[in-house]
Amino acid sequence: MNKIVLQFGLLVFSLSLIFFSRLGLPFEVVILKSFFVFVFTTVLLSIVVLVFVRAINKESFNKNIEYSEKINRK
């Protein structure tokens, strides 16, 4: 999952390089802004993925407990 997040961040970095360079900004500013966009996107997406995976694990754990209780009653 981390590879997907990192590769998506690199895609956003590349697209932001193109976008900022088309604005006619100096090279250093383009690289700096693109790097900030990359870091922001990667951190935000990592948090979203972490919350999503934890929610799935919690739901799976609760279902496992529910099924085991049903089996024990029989």
Side-chain angles (χ1 to χ4, degrees), residues 47-63:
I47 291 170
V48 169
V49 166
L50 184 66
V51 168
F52 183 69
V53 168
R54 285 190 181 210
I56 290 174
N57 285 341
K58 184 177 181 181
E59 186 64 30
S60 169
F61 183 72
N62 290 340
K63 282 186 179 182

Side-chain angles (χ1 to χ4, degrees), residues 20-34:
F20 290 131
S21 64
R22 298 280 294 168
L23 294 177
L25 298 172
F27 181 70
E28 296 84 16
V29 174
V30 169
I31 295 293
L32 191 61
K33 285 185 176 189
S34 296

